[in-house]
PDB file of all heavy atoms in Angstrom:
ATOM      1  N   GLY A 149     124.432-177.452  16.517  1.00 98.00           N
ATOM      2  CA  GLY A 149     124.569-176.361  17.474  1.00 98.00           C
ATOM      3  C   GLY A 149     125.142-176.712  18.832  1.00 98.00           C
ATOM      4  O   GLY A 149     125.105-175.886  19.749  1.00 98.00           O
ATOM      5  N   GLN A 150     125.737-177.882  18.979  1.00 98.00           N
ATOM      6  CA  GLN A 150     126.334-178.269  20.270  1.00 98.00           C
ATOM      7  C   GLN A 150     127.830-177.919  20.233  1.00 98.00           C
ATOM      8  O   GLN A 150     128.682-178.768  19.997  1.00 98.00           O
ATOM      9  CB  GLN A 150     126.128-179.760  20.514  1.00 98.00           C
ATOM     10  CG  GLN A 150     124.665-180.158  20.594  1.00 98.00           C
ATOM     11  CD  GLN A 150     124.493-181.649  20.769  1.00 98.00           C
ATOM     12  OE1 GLN A 150     125.047-182.256  21.682  1.00 98.00           O
ATOM     13  NE2 GLN A 150     123.710-182.266  19.886  1.00 98.00           N
ATOM     14  N   TYR A 151     128.124-176.664  20.500  1.00 98.00           N
ATOM     15  CA  TYR A 151     129.477-176.157  20.308  1.00 98.00           C
ATOM     16  C   TYR A 151     130.442-176.557  21.429  1.00 98.00           C
ATOM     17  O   TYR A 151     131.662-176.501  21.245  1.00 98.00           O
ATOM     18  CB  TYR A 151     129.448-174.639  20.163  1.00 98.00           C
ATOM     19  CG  TYR A 151     128.614-174.200  18.979  1.00 98.00           C
ATOM     20  CD1 TYR A 151     127.427-173.509  19.166  1.00 98.00           C
ATOM     21  CD2 TYR A 151     129.009-174.517  17.681  1.00 98.00           C
ATOM     22  CE1 TYR A 151     126.652-173.122  18.079  1.00 98.00           C
ATOM     23  CE2 TYR A 151     128.245-174.139  16.600  1.00 98.00           C
ATOM     24  CZ  TYR A 151     127.066-173.441  16.806  1.00 98.00           C
ATOM     25  OH  TYR A 151     126.301-173.067  15.723  1.00 98.00           O
ATOM     26  N   ILE A 152     129.899-176.916  22.564  1.00 97.00           N
ATOM     27  CA  ILE A 152     130.714-177.375  23.699  1.00 97.00           C
ATOM     28  C   ILE A 152     130.313-178.806  24.028  1.00 97.00           C
ATOM     29  O   ILE A 152     129.135-179.084  24.279  1.00 97.00           O
ATOM     30  CB  ILE A 152     130.523-176.476  24.937  1.00 97.00           C
ATOM     31  CG1 ILE A 152     130.904-175.020  24.615  1.00 97.00           C
ATOM     32  CG2 ILE A 152     131.346-177.004  26.113  1.00 97.00           C
ATOM     33  CD1 ILE A 152     132.352-174.801  24.240  1.00 97.00           C
ATOM     34  N   MET A 153     131.291-179.705  23.995  1.00 97.00           N
ATOM     35  CA  MET A 153     131.081-181.125  24.308  1.00 97.00           C
ATOM     36  C   MET A 153     130.016-181.769  23.415  1.00 97.00           C
ATOM     37  O   MET A 153     129.243-182.623  23.842  1.00 97.00           O
ATOM     38  CB  MET A 153     130.733-181.313  25.788  1.00 97.00           C
ATOM     39  CG  MET A 153     131.815-180.824  26.747  1.00 97.00           C
ATOM     40  SD  MET A 153     133.447-181.563  26.478  1.00 97.00           S
ATOM     41  CE  MET A 153     133.136-183.251  27.018  1.00 97.00           C
ATOM     42  N   GLY A 154     129.989-181.355  22.141  1.00 98.00           N
ATOM     43  CA  GLY A 154     129.094-181.985  21.179  1.00 98.00           C
ATOM     44  C   GLY A 154     129.563-183.388  20.818  1.00 98.00           C
ATOM     45  O   GLY A 154     130.613-183.854  21.284  1.00 98.00           O
ATOM     46  N   PRO A 155     128.811-184.097  19.989  1.00 98.00           N
ATOM     47  CA  PRO A 155     129.124-185.500  19.700  1.00 98.00           C
ATOM     48  C   PRO A 155     130.477-185.708  19.033  1.00 98.00           C
ATOM     49  O   PRO A 155     131.073-186.781  19.159  1.00 98.00           O
ATOM     50  CB  PRO A 155     127.980-185.945  18.794  1.00 98.00           C
ATOM     51  CG  PRO A 155     127.391-184.682  18.245  1.00 98.00           C
ATOM     52  CD  PRO A 155     127.579-183.658  19.309  1.00 98.00           C
ATOM     53  N   GLU A 156     130.989-184.703  18.333  1.00 98.00           N
ATOM     54  CA  GLU A 156     132.294-184.839  17.689  1.00 98.00           C
ATOM     55  C   GLU A 156     133.428-184.988  18.699  1.00 98.00           C
ATOM     56  O   GLU A 156     134.489-185.537  18.372  1.00 98.00           O
ATOM     57  CB  GLU A 156     132.567-183.634  16.780  1.00 98.00           C
ATOM     58  CG  GLU A 156     131.779-183.631  15.486  1.00 98.00           C
ATOM     59  CD  GLU A 156     130.339-183.192  15.652  1.00 98.00           C
ATOM     60  OE1 GLU A 156     129.968-182.751  16.767  1.00 98.00           O
ATOM     61  OE2 GLU A 156     129.565-183.274  14.671  1.00 98.00           O
ATOM     62  N   VAL A 157     133.219-184.506  19.921  1.00 98.00           N
ATOM     63  CA  VAL A 157     134.259-184.634  20.950  1.00 98.00           C
ATOM     64  C   VAL A 157     134.503-186.104  21.268  1.00 98.00           C
ATOM     65  O   VAL A 157     135.634-186.608  21.215  1.00 98.00           O
ATOM     66  CB  VAL A 157     133.884-183.847  22.223  1.00 98.00           C
ATOM     67  CG1 VAL A 157     134.910-184.076  23.320  1.00 98.00           C
ATOM     68  CG2 VAL A 157     133.756-182.348  21.901  1.00 98.00           C
ATOM     69  N   ALA A 158     133.440-186.823  21.607  1.00 98.00           N
ATOM     70  CA  ALA A 158     133.573-188.250  21.920  1.00 98.00           C
ATOM     71  C   ALA A 158     134.034-189.042  20.700  1.00 98.00           C
ATOM     72  O   ALA A 158     134.831-189.986  20.824  1.00 98.00           O
ATOM     73  CB  ALA A 158     132.248-188.797  22.437  1.00 98.00           C
ATOM     74  N   GLU A 159     133.548-188.653  19.517  1.00 98.00           N
ATOM     75  CA  GLU A 159     133.964-189.350  18.292  1.00 98.00           C
ATOM     76  C   GLU A 159     135.469-189.202  18.065  1.00 98.00           C
ATOM     77  O   GLU A 159     136.169-190.177  17.737  1.00 98.00           O
ATOM     78  CB  GLU A 159     133.193-188.809  17.096  1.00 98.00           C
ATOM     79  CG  GLU A 159     133.524-189.524  15.792  1.00 98.00           C
ATOM     80  CD  GLU A 159     132.831-188.908  14.576  1.00 98.00           C
ATOM     81  OE1 GLU A 159     132.021-187.976  14.750  1.00 98.00           O
ATOM     82  OE2 GLU A 159     133.120-189.369  13.449  1.00 98.00           O
ATOM     83  N   LEU A 160     135.966-187.987  18.243  1.00 98.00           N
ATOM     84  CA  LEU A 160     137.391-187.751  18.054  1.00 98.00           C
ATOM     85  C   LEU A 160     138.216-188.487  19.113  1.00 98.00           C
ATOM     86  O   LEU A 160     139.252-189.084  18.797  1.00 98.00           O
ATOM     87  CB  LEU A 160     137.701-186.258  18.083  1.00 98.00           C
ATOM     88  CG  LEU A 160     139.185-185.894  17.926  1.00 98.00           C
ATOM     89  CD1 LEU A 160     139.728-186.379  16.581  1.00 98.00           C
ATOM     90  CD2 LEU A 160     139.399-184.392  18.080  1.00 98.00           C
ATOM     91  N   GLU A 161     137.763-188.451  20.348  1.00 98.00           N
ATOM     92  CA  GLU A 161     138.510-189.121  21.406  1.00 98.00           C
ATOM     93  C   GLU A 161     138.637-190.618  21.133  1.00 98.00           C
ATOM     94  O   GLU A 161     139.711-191.217  21.332  1.00 98.00           O
ATOM     95  CB  GLU A 161     137.848-188.865  22.757  1.00 98.00           C
ATOM     96  CG  GLU A 161     138.012-187.426  23.220  1.00 98.00           C
ATOM     97  CD  GLU A 161     137.289-187.110  24.513  1.00 98.00           C
ATOM     98  OE1 GLU A 161     136.415-187.906  24.930  1.00 98.00           O
ATOM     99  OE2 GLU A 161     137.579-186.057  25.114  1.00 98.00           O
ATOM    100  N   ALA A 162     137.582-191.231  20.659  1.00 98.00           N
ATOM    101  CA  ALA A 162     137.646-192.662  20.339  1.00 98.00           C
ATOM    102  C   ALA A 162     138.610-192.920  19.177  1.00 98.00           C
ATOM    103  O   ALA A 162     139.403-193.875  19.214  1.00 98.00           O
ATOM    104  CB  ALA A 162     136.254-193.178  19.993  1.00 98.00           C
ATOM    105  N   ALA A 163     138.560-192.076  18.161  1.00 98.00           N
ATOM    106  CA  ALA A 163     139.429-192.257  16.999  1.00 98.00           C
ATOM    107  C   ALA A 163     140.897-192.044  17.363  1.00 98.00           C
ATOM    108  O   ALA A 163     141.777-192.793  16.916  1.00 98.00           O
ATOM    109  CB  ALA A 163     139.018-191.296  15.885  1.00 98.00           C
ATOM    110  N   LEU A 164     141.182-191.038  18.180  1.00 98.00           N
ATOM    111  CA  LEU A 164     142.564-190.756  18.561  1.00 98.00           C
ATOM    112  C   LEU A 164     143.122-191.836  19.481  1.00 98.00           C
ATOM    113  O   LEU A 164     144.296-192.221  19.365  1.00 98.00           O
ATOM    114  CB  LEU A 164     142.649-189.388  19.248  1.00 98.00           C
ATOM    115  CG  LEU A 164     142.375-188.173  18.357  1.00 98.00           C
ATOM    116  CD1 LEU A 164     142.344-186.901  19.206  1.00 98.00           C
ATOM    117  CD2 LEU A 164     143.430-188.048  17.257  1.00 98.00           C
ATOM    118  N   ALA A 165     142.304-192.327  20.412  1.00 98.00           N
ATOM    119  CA  ALA A 165     142.757-193.404  21.294  1.00 98.00           C
ATOM    120  C   ALA A 165     143.105-194.648  20.486  1.00 98.00           C
ATOM    121  O   ALA A 165     144.125-195.311  20.731  1.00 98.00           O
ATOM    122  CB  ALA A 165     141.690-193.716  22.337  1.00 98.00           C
ATOM    123  N   ALA A 166     142.278-194.966  19.495  1.00 98.00           N
ATOM    124  CA  ALA A 166     142.554-196.115  18.642  1.00 98.00           C
ATOM    125  C   ALA A 166     143.839-195.909  17.852  1.00 98.00           C
ATOM    126  O   ALA A 166     144.654-196.834  17.701  1.00 98.00           O
ATOM    127  CB  ALA A 166     141.378-196.358  17.699  1.00 98.00           C
ATOM    128  N   PHE A 167     144.049-194.700  17.367  1.00 98.00           N
ATOM    129  CA  PHE A 167     145.257-194.399  16.597  1.00 98.00           C
ATOM    130  C   PHE A 167     146.505-194.519  17.463  1.00 98.00           C
ATOM    131  O   PHE A 167     147.513-195.100  17.038  1.00 98.00           O
ATOM    132  CB  PHE A 167     145.160-192.991  16.014  1.00 98.00           C
ATOM    133  CG  PHE A 167     146.330-192.601  15.161  1.00 98.00           C
ATOM    134  CD1 PHE A 167     146.336-192.879  13.800  1.00 98.00           C
ATOM    135  CD2 PHE A 167     147.427-191.965  15.714  1.00 98.00           C
ATOM    136  CE1 PHE A 167     147.425-192.534  13.012  1.00 98.00           C
ATOM    137  CE2 PHE A 167     148.525-191.620  14.934  1.00 98.00           C
ATOM    138  CZ  PHE A 167     148.519-191.896  13.576  1.00 98.00           C
ATOM    139  N   ALA A 168     146.453-193.960  18.668  1.00 98.00           N
ATOM    140  CA  ALA A 168     147.621-193.964  19.550  1.00 98.00           C
ATOM    141  C   ALA A 168     147.810-195.281  20.281  1.00 98.00           C
ATOM    142  O   ALA A 168     148.873-195.532  20.847  1.00 98.00           O
ATOM    143  CB  ALA A 168     147.514-192.818  20.563  1.00 98.00           C
ATOM    144  N   GLY A 169     146.770-196.118  20.295  1.00 98.00           N
ATOM    145  CA  GLY A 169     146.861-197.401  20.973  1.00 98.00           C
ATOM    146  C   GLY A 169     146.731-197.306  22.473  1.00 98.00           C
ATOM    147  O   GLY A 169     147.381-198.048  23.218  1.00 98.00           O
ATOM    148  N   THR A 170     145.875-196.392  22.950  1.00 98.00           N
ATOM    149  CA  THR A 170     145.669-196.222  24.384  1.00 98.00           C
ATOM    150  C   THR A 170     144.219-196.499  24.756  1.00 98.00           C
ATOM    151  O   THR A 170     143.323-196.449  23.909  1.00 98.00           O
ATOM    152  CB  THR A 170     146.029-194.792  24.832  1.00 98.00           C
ATOM    153  OG1 THR A 170     145.222-193.846  24.105  1.00 98.00           O
ATOM    154  CG2 THR A 170     147.504-194.497  24.570  1.00 98.00           C
ATOM    155  N   ARG A 171     143.993-196.741  26.033  1.00 98.00           N
ATOM    156  CA  ARG A 171     142.630-196.977  26.525  1.00 98.00           C
ATOM    157  C   ARG A 171     141.810-195.697  26.525  1.00 98.00           C
ATOM    158  O   ARG A 171     140.602-195.726  26.310  1.00 98.00           O
ATOM    159  CB  ARG A 171     142.676-197.559  27.945  1.00 98.00           C
ATOM    160  CG  ARG A 171     143.082-199.018  27.994  1.00 98.00           C
ATOM    161  CD  ARG A 171     143.286-199.464  29.440  1.00 98.00           C
ATOM    162  NE  ARG A 171     142.144-199.186  30.303  1.00 98.00           N
ATOM    163  CZ  ARG A 171     141.072-199.974  30.412  1.00 98.00           C
ATOM    164  NH1 ARG A 171     141.011-201.081  29.693  1.00 98.00           N
ATOM    165  NH2 ARG A 171     140.093-199.657  31.237  1.00 98.00           N
ATOM    166  N   HIS A 172     142.479-194.583  26.791  1.00 98.00           N
ATOM    167  CA  HIS A 172     141.742-193.329  26.979  1.00 98.00           C
ATOM    168  C   HIS A 172     142.383-192.201  26.176  1.00 98.00           C
ATOM    169  O   HIS A 172     143.603-192.107  26.068  1.00 98.00           O
ATOM    170  CB  HIS A 172     141.734-192.916  28.455  1.00 98.00           C
ATOM    171  CG  HIS A 172     141.163-193.933  29.376  1.00 98.00           C
ATOM    172  ND1 HIS A 172     139.807-194.140  29.507  1.00 98.00           N
ATOM    173  CD2 HIS A 172     141.767-194.829  30.211  1.00 98.00           C
ATOM    174  CE1 HIS A 172     139.597-195.099  30.390  1.00 98.00           C
ATOM    175  NE2 HIS A 172     140.758-195.533  30.830  1.00 98.00           N
ATOM    176  N   CYS A 173     141.546-191.328  25.652  1.00 98.00           N
ATOM    177  CA  CYS A 173     141.953-190.036  25.110  1.00 98.00           C
ATOM    178  C   CYS A 173     141.013-188.990  25.682  1.00 98.00           C
ATOM    179  O   CYS A 173     139.786-189.190  25.694  1.00 98.00           O
ATOM    180  CB  CYS A 173     141.895-190.015  23.589  1.00 98.00           C
ATOM    181  SG  CYS A 173     142.100-188.366  22.868  1.00 98.00           S
ATOM    182  N   ILE A 174     141.567-187.894  26.157  1.00 98.00           N
ATOM    183  CA  ILE A 174     140.776-186.798  26.711  1.00 98.00           C
ATOM    184  C   ILE A 174     141.165-185.539  25.948  1.00 98.00           C
ATOM    185  O   ILE A 174     142.298-185.052  26.072  1.00 98.00           O
ATOM    186  CB  ILE A 174     141.036-186.604  28.220  1.00 98.00           C
ATOM    187  CG1 ILE A 174     140.767-187.902  28.991  1.00 98.00           C
ATOM    188  CG2 ILE A 174     140.208-185.458  28.774  1.00 98.00           C
ATOM    189  CD1 ILE A 174     142.017-188.742  29.238  1.00 98.00           C
ATOM    190  N   THR A 175     140.283-185.011  25.118  1.00 98.00           N
ATOM    191  CA  THR A 175     140.588-183.782  24.401  1.00 98.00           C
ATOM    192  C   THR A 175     140.526-182.599  25.355  1.00 98.00           C
ATOM    193  O   THR A 175     139.708-182.561  26.278  1.00 98.00           O
ATOM    194  CB  THR A 175     139.620-183.556  23.233  1.00 98.00           C
ATOM    195  OG1 THR A 175     138.273-183.577  23.715  1.00 98.00           O
ATOM    196  CG2 THR A 175     139.809-184.608  22.162  1.00 98.00           C
ATOM    197  N   VAL A 176     141.399-181.618  25.105  1.00 98.00           N
ATOM    198  CA  VAL A 176     141.486-180.434  25.966  1.00 98.00           C
ATOM    199  C   VAL A 176     141.711-179.200  25.105  1.00 98.00           C
ATOM    200  O   VAL A 176     141.860-179.284  23.889  1.00 98.00           O
ATOM    201  CB  VAL A 176     142.616-180.587  27.006  1.00 98.00           C
ATOM    202  CG1 VAL A 176     142.317-181.717  27.981  1.00 98.00           C
ATOM    203  CG2 VAL A 176     143.967-180.827  26.349  1.00 98.00           C
ATOM    204  N   ALA A 177     141.749-178.052  25.755  1.00 98.00           N
ATOM    205  CA  ALA A 177     141.708-176.783  25.042  1.00 98.00           C
ATOM    206  C   ALA A 177     142.993-176.435  24.299  1.00 98.00           C
ATOM    207  O   ALA A 177     142.968-175.619  23.378  1.00 98.00           O
ATOM    208  CB  ALA A 177     141.364-175.656  26.020  1.00 98.00           C
ATOM    209  N   SER A 178     144.116-177.017  24.684  1.00 98.00           N
ATOM    210  CA  SER A 178     145.393-176.706  24.036  1.00 98.00           C
ATOM    211  C   SER A 178     146.439-177.703  24.503  1.00 98.00           C
ATOM    212  O   SER A 178     146.214-178.464  25.458  1.00 98.00           O
ATOM    213  CB  SER A 178     145.859-175.283  24.386  1.00 98.00           C
ATOM    214  OG  SER A 178     146.193-175.200  25.769  1.00 98.00           O
ATOM    215  N   GLY A 179     147.584-177.672  23.858  1.00 98.00           N
ATOM    216  CA  GLY A 179     148.685-178.503  24.323  1.00 98.00           C
ATOM    217  C   GLY A 179     149.162-178.096  25.705  1.00 98.00           C
ATOM    218  O   GLY A 179     149.562-178.945  26.513  1.00 98.00           O
ATOM    219  N   THR A 180     149.113-176.810  25.990  1.00 98.00           N
ATOM    220  CA  THR A 180     149.497-176.331  27.318  1.00 98.00           C
ATOM    221  C   THR A 180     148.533-176.855  28.375  1.00 98.00           C
ATOM    222  O   THR A 180     148.953-177.326  29.442  1.00 98.00           O
ATOM    223  CB  THR A 180     149.523-174.793  27.341  1.00 98.00           C
ATOM    224  OG1 THR A 180     150.392-174.323  26.310  1.00 98.00           O
ATOM    225  CG2 THR A 180     149.996-174.277  28.687  1.00 98.00           C
ATOM    226  N   GLU A 181     147.236-176.788  28.096  1.00 98.00           N
ATOM    227  CA  GLU A 181     146.255-177.344  29.031  1.00 98.00           C
ATOM    228  C   GLU A 181     146.465-178.843  29.222  1.00 98.00           C
ATOM    229  O   GLU A 181     146.248-179.376  30.315  1.00 98.00           O
ATOM    230  CB  GLU A 181     144.834-177.078  28.526  1.00 98.00           C
ATOM    231  CG  GLU A 181     144.386-175.640  28.620  1.00 98.00           C
ATOM    232  CD  GLU A 181     144.201-175.154  30.049  1.00 98.00           C
ATOM    233  OE1 GLU A 181     143.785-175.959  30.910  1.00 98.00           O
ATOM    234  OE2 GLU A 181     144.483-173.976  30.297  1.00 98.00           O
ATOM    235  N   ALA A 182     146.867-179.535  28.166  1.00 98.00           N
ATOM    236  CA  ALA A 182     147.122-180.968  28.293  1.00 98.00           C
ATOM    237  C   ALA A 182     148.215-181.233  29.323  1.00 98.00           C
ATOM    238  O   ALA A 182     148.076-182.115  30.188  1.00 98.00           O
ATOM    239  CB  ALA A 182     147.515-181.551  26.938  1.00 98.00           C
ATOM    240  N   LEU A 183     149.291-180.473  29.265  1.00 98.00           N
ATOM    241  CA  LEU A 183     150.372-180.643  30.243  1.00 98.00           C
ATOM    242  C   LEU A 183     149.910-180.269  31.647  1.00 98.00           C
ATOM    243  O   LEU A 183     150.192-180.983  32.619  1.00 98.00           O
ATOM    244  CB  LEU A 183     151.575-179.789  29.842  1.00 98.00           C
ATOM    245  CG  LEU A 183     152.283-180.158  28.546  1.00 98.00           C
ATOM    246  CD1 LEU A 183     153.367-179.142  28.231  1.00 98.00           C
ATOM    247  CD2 LEU A 183     152.875-181.557  28.635  1.00 98.00           C
ATOM    248  N   LEU A 184     149.215-179.154  31.753  1.00 98.00           N
ATOM    249  CA  LEU A 184     148.747-178.689  33.063  1.00 98.00           C
ATOM    250  C   LEU A 184     147.801-179.709  33.692  1.00 98.00           C
ATOM    251  O   LEU A 184     147.930-180.063  34.875  1.00 98.00           O
ATOM    252  CB  LEU A 184     148.057-177.336  32.920  1.00 98.00           C
ATOM    253  CG  LEU A 184     147.522-176.708  34.214  1.00 98.00           C
ATOM    254  CD1 LEU A 184     148.664-176.376  35.162  1.00 98.00           C
ATOM    255  CD2 LEU A 184     146.706-175.457  33.896  1.00 98.00           C
ATOM    256  N   ILE A 185     146.851-180.190  32.923  1.00 98.00           N
ATOM    257  CA  ILE A 185     145.870-181.146  33.446  1.00 98.00           C
ATOM    258  C   ILE A 185     146.547-182.464  33.804  1.00 98.00           C
ATOM    259  O   ILE A 185     146.205-183.096  34.823  1.00 98.00           O
ATOM    260  CB  ILE A 185     144.727-181.340  32.445  1.00 98.00           C
ATOM    261  CG1 ILE A 185     143.896-180.050  32.346  1.00 98.00           C
ATOM    262  CG2 ILE A 185     143.830-182.515  32.834  1.00 98.00           C
ATOM    263  CD1 ILE A 185     142.876-180.045  31.226  1.00 98.00           C
ATOM    264  N   ALA A 186     147.517-182.890  33.022  1.00 98.00           N
ATOM    265  CA  ALA A 186     148.251-184.114  33.355  1.00 98.00           C
ATOM    266  C   ALA A 186     148.964-183.975  34.689  1.00 98.00           C
ATOM    267  O   ALA A 186     148.923-184.886  35.538  1.00 98.00           O
ATOM    268  CB  ALA A 186     149.248-184.443  32.248  1.00 98.00           C
ATOM    269  N   LEU A 187     149.612-182.855  34.894  1.00 98.00           N
ATOM    270  CA  LEU A 187     150.307-182.615  36.166  1.00 98.00           C
ATOM    271  C   LEU A 187     149.314-182.570  37.328  1.00 98.00           C
ATOM    272  O   LEU A 187     149.567-183.138  38.401  1.00 98.00           O
ATOM    273  CB  LEU A 187     151.103-181.319  36.091  1.00 98.00           C
ATOM    274  CG  LEU A 187     152.343-181.333  35.193  1.00 98.00           C
ATOM    275  CD1 LEU A 187     152.816-179.910  34.918  1.00 98.00           C
ATOM    276  CD2 LEU A 187     153.469-182.142  35.831  1.00 98.00           C
ATOM    277  N   MET A 188     148.190-181.901  37.115  1.00 98.00           N
ATOM    278  CA  MET A 188     147.177-181.825  38.169  1.00 98.00           C
ATOM    279  C   MET A 188     146.601-183.195  38.484  1.00 98.00           C
ATOM    280  O   MET A 188     146.410-183.556  39.651  1.00 98.00           O
ATOM    281  CB  MET A 188     146.068-180.853  37.754  1.00 98.00           C
ATOM    282  CG  MET A 188     146.520-179.409  37.652  1.00 98.00           C
ATOM    283  SD  MET A 188     145.224-178.308  36.993  1.00 98.00           S
ATOM    284  CE  MET A 188     144.053-178.285  38.359  1.00 98.00           C
ATOM    285  N   ALA A 189     146.311-183.974  37.436  1.00 98.00           N
ATOM    286  CA  ALA A 189     145.760-185.315  37.649  1.00 98.00           C
ATOM    287  C   ALA A 189     146.733-186.206  38.403  1.00 98.00           C
ATOM    288  O   ALA A 189     146.323-187.089  39.169  1.00 98.00           O
ATOM    289  CB  ALA A 189     145.404-185.942  36.305  1.00 98.00           C
ATOM    290  N   ALA A 190     148.034-185.962  38.199  1.00 98.00           N
ATOM    291  CA  ALA A 190     149.061-186.739  38.883  1.00 98.00           C
ATOM    292  C   ALA A 190     149.338-186.243  40.299  1.00 98.00           C
ATOM    293  O   ALA A 190     150.171-186.820  41.001  1.00 98.00           O
ATOM    294  CB  ALA A 190     150.350-186.716  38.064  1.00 98.00           C
ATOM    295  N   GLY A 191     148.658-185.172  40.689  1.00 98.00           N
ATOM    296  CA  GLY A 191     148.817-184.660  42.049  1.00 98.00           C
ATOM    297  C   GLY A 191     150.052-183.818  42.274  1.00 98.00           C
ATOM    298  O   GLY A 191     150.472-183.617  43.415  1.00 98.00           O
ATOM    299  N   ILE A 192     150.637-183.296  41.214  1.00 98.00           N
ATOM    300  CA  ILE A 192     151.832-182.467  41.359  1.00 98.00           C
ATOM    301  C   ILE A 192     151.441-181.125  41.964  1.00 98.00           C
ATOM    302  O   ILE A 192     150.485-180.471  41.529  1.00 98.00           O
ATOM    303  CB  ILE A 192     152.513-182.253  39.994  1.00 98.00           C
ATOM    304  CG1 ILE A 192     152.840-183.594  39.344  1.00 98.00           C
ATOM    305  CG2 ILE A 192     153.772-181.406  40.150  1.00 98.00           C
ATOM    306  CD1 ILE A 192     153.728-184.506  40.142  1.00 98.00           C
ATOM    307  N   GLY A 193     152.206-180.701  42.976  1.00 98.00           N
ATOM    308  CA  GLY A 193     151.872-179.461  43.673  1.00 98.00           C
ATOM    309  C   GLY A 193     153.092-178.756  44.216  1.00 98.00           C
ATOM    310  O   GLY A 193     154.236-179.073  43.841  1.00 98.00           O
ATOM    311  N   PRO A 194     152.892-177.788  45.095  1.00 98.00           N
ATOM    312  CA  PRO A 194     153.992-176.968  45.608  1.00 98.00           C
ATOM    313  C   PRO A 194     155.140-177.789  46.185  1.00 98.00           C
ATOM    314  O   PRO A 194     154.929-178.713  46.971  1.00 98.00           O
ATOM    315  CB  PRO A 194     153.310-176.133  46.689  1.00 98.00           C
ATOM    316  CG  PRO A 194     151.889-176.024  46.231  1.00 98.00           C
ATOM    317  CD  PRO A 194     151.580-177.353  45.613  1.00 98.00           C
ATOM    318  N   GLY A 195     156.349-177.435  45.751  1.00 97.00           N
ATOM    319  CA  GLY A 195     157.550-178.085  46.259  1.00 97.00           C
ATOM    320  C   GLY A 195     157.945-179.360  45.549  1.00 97.00           C
ATOM    321  O   GLY A 195     159.080-179.828  45.699  1.00 97.00           O
TER     322      GLY A 195
END
């Protein structure tokens, strides 16, 4: 019954990071959110 941030989230992130060969994987709500969050994390803003 842990529908949000249940144990499968961390399990999947570890499996995907290992597959892609990266230190970190962060699952998100969609591919669009992935791009948006990446831009935000990088500090991209007006102009």
Side-chain angles (χ1 to χ4, degrees):
Q150 298 177 54
Y151 300 113
I152 301 297
M153 300 304 290
E156 286 78 7
V157 175
E159 183 184 355
L160 179 61
E161 289 176 345
L164 292 174
F167 182 89
T170 58
R171 285 172 53 84
H172 303 283
C173 170
I174 304 96
T175 55
V176 295
S178 67
T180 304
E181 288 292 326
L183 295 175
L184 181 65
I185 292 171
L187 289 165
M188 294 174 70
I192 304 302

